[in-house]
Amino acid sequence: MRIAFFVNDVATEVDEYTTTRLARAACLGGHEAWYVGVGDVELGDTDGRLLARARRAEFAEGDTLAGFMEQVKERDPERIVLDDLDALFLRNESIDDLQERPWASPLAAVFGQMLKARGVTVVNDPMSLIRATSKLYLEEFPEKIRPRSVVTRDPAAIEAFVAKVGHSVVKPLYGAKGRNVFMIEDENETNLAQMTEAVLQDGYAIVQEFVDGGENGDVRIFVLDGEILELGGKLAAFRRVPTGNDPRANISVGGRSVPIDPGDVELTVVETMRDKLLADGMFFVGIDVIGDKVVEINAESPGGMQSIERLYDMDVCTTVIEALDRRIAAQR
């Protein structure tokens, strides 16, 4: 398999993150792997092919993740033809580019769709990712697995929703890593107007009913081809627990991960989502669950494999790459 990992910028890739582990798994599996940044693509002037200034990924015996990533960054870029790839793994985060590089934000989906039309296997499906990047995507799933919510830019509508349902969470519709996520106790919240103003600076807000148990964090579950990712009977999931007085459990804001063994509730949630995830081409996603409710779907560059590896001493990225290789073989 000839695979490229499409990222925001190769120079800013972090060795500990999931994409590095996926690339390592591809290399160790004997596949030809490349890194391509959003700004590295070129449309050929004569034949219309998509080219890229790509950096080869090679993992040698004894390499560390840090050493592997450093070698990728230091390697001179080579011009490759993206049309000739077997697979393009979209691992960029478009939201990260919205402020500083707005030109870059939509291009992964654009290039991905072009390559999909040319026969390259692209995951996750680029057209579905356009919807899934927004938290509005969750509203497409059955009501029984998601909290009551409202999506709006009207402060009065936010206040009315909180007055009706009470304890709520307000956050940007396009947001990540816990930025501008606020807990609201009720309509008498002293700082409600300031919270609302901060969120609306990022565009639309989504206000969700607070799910009981949320104060103890959420459960991140990795779903591969509609099933919970597993290795040797062990399911790839962990609980993210907030630290201190910060109610957010995101690892990026100081949350910590602890082991969990998903039970019937979590399995039922995934089963309820399965058919739609498959229909939408969502090959590899992370879902965040509190109780029997999904509070977020992470379809664009889902992360957390470092926690799985640390908590359970297993590398499930190999399973992801093997599944992708099987998908390509089945399409030939």
Side-chain angles (χ1 to χ4, degrees):
M1 176 173 63
R2 196 169 190 232
I3 181 173
F5 295 91
F6 199 85
V7 299
N8 294 70
D9 187 339
V10 179
T12 59
E13 281 296 288
V14 178
D15 55 73
E16 267 298 299
Y17 284 0
T18 296
T19 304
T20 316
R21 288 174 155 80
L22 288 167
R24 176 184 64 180
C27 293
L28 293 177
H31 304 292
E32 180 184 321
W34 299 86
Y35 271 84
V36 177
V38 177
D40 295 333
V41 180
E42 178 181 313
L43 183 66
D45 64 342
T46 58
D47 54 16
R49 296 186 301 175
L50 281 175
L51 312 175
R53 299 182 303 278
R55 287 172 170 79
R56 183 184 288 271
E58 295 179 343
F59 197 94
E61 184 177 353
D63 275 354
T64 63
L65 285 173
F68 167 64
M69 194 70 254
E70 190 61 33
Q71 290 171 41
V72 169
K73 294 177 180 179
E74 291 179 350
R75 197 163 284 131
D76 291 334
E78 302 177 45
R79 290 173 69 84
I80 67 170
V81 179
L82 296 178
D83 300 53
D84 294 340
L85 292 172
D86 295 303
L88 181 70
F89 210 139
L90 299 178
R91 292 292 303 173
N92 69 304
E93 296 187 68
S94 61
I95 292 173
D96 286 356
D97 278 327
L98 275 177
Q99 299 296 325
E100 298 296 327
R101 303 194 308 170
W103 58 266
S105 186
L107 284 179
V110 172
F111 293 143
Q113 185 62 19
M114 291 175 69
L115 290 171
K116 179 185 175 183
R118 300 176 186 198
V120 178
T121 297
V122 181
V123 293
N124 289 323
D125 181 84
M127 291 308 292
S128 294
L129 272 181
I130 292 174
R131 302 198 321 278
T133 301
S134 158
K135 293 177 175 60
L136 198 59
Y137 183 56
L138 177 57
E139 305 304 306
E140 298 182 26
F141 287 81
E143 291 183 10
K144 67 179 182 179
I145 65 164
R146 53 182 170 82
R148 294 169 63 189
S149 63
V150 63
V151 176
T152 184
R153 278 192 50 78
D154 182 1
I158 295 175
E159 186 176 350
F161 179 85
V162 173
K164 180 167 61 176
V165 305
H167 200 181
S168 303
V169 179
V170 59
K171 51 190 174 182
L173 189 63
Y174 285 90
K177 299 181 174 67
R179 169 184 157 83
N180 282 344
V181 176
F182 299 103
M183 295 287 184
I184 303 171
E185 290 296 330
D186 53 38
E187 70 273 23
N188 297 316
E189 172 68 53
T190 305
N191 297 318
L192 178 56
Q194 291 93 323
M195 293 175 181
T196 299
E197 181 181 2
V199 173
L200 293 180
Q201 286 178 353
D202 289 336
Y204 274 85
I206 180 169
V207 192
Q208 292 177 333
E209 176 184 27
F210 185 83
V211 181
D212 289 342
E215 66 277 4
N216 298 318
D218 56 24
V219 176
R220 167 66 59 88
I221 303 172
F222 293 98
V223 180
L224 177 68
D225 259 348
E227 307 289 346
I228 298 184
L229 177 58
E230 67 171 287
L231 181 63
K234 185 64 183 177
L235 301 179
F238 57 89
R239 181 178 294 280
R240 303 188 304 177
V241 181
T243 56
N245 295 321
D246 193 333
R248 299 169 298 174
N250 307 69
I251 303 301
S252 57
V253 294
R256 59 188 178 89
S257 55
V258 298
I260 186 173
D261 198 5
D264 290 341
V265 172
E266 290 85 4
L267 295 175
T268 298
V269 167
V270 174
E271 180 60 29
T272 302
M273 301 179 72
R274 180 178 186 273
D275 288 347
K276 179 168 175 55
L277 289 173
L278 290 174
D280 289 346
M282 291 299 164
F283 171 74
F284 177 53
V285 301
I287 61 172
D288 298 336
V289 179
I290 299 175
D292 61 353
K293 305 295 185 186
V294 179
V295 294
E296 198 152 325
I297 301 172
N298 302 271
E300 189 178 61
S301 191
M305 284 297 142
Q306 64 270 34
S307 292
I308 296 294
E309 194 169 312
R310 176 179 61 82
L311 293 171
Y312 308 118
D313 192 27
M314 65 179 188
D315 178 14
V316 286
C317 287
T318 299
T319 305
V320 176
I321 297 299
E322 289 173 350
L324 181 56
D325 194 27
R326 288 194 300 270
R327 170 177 286 206
I328 292 168
Q331 293 173 346
R332 286 175 175 155

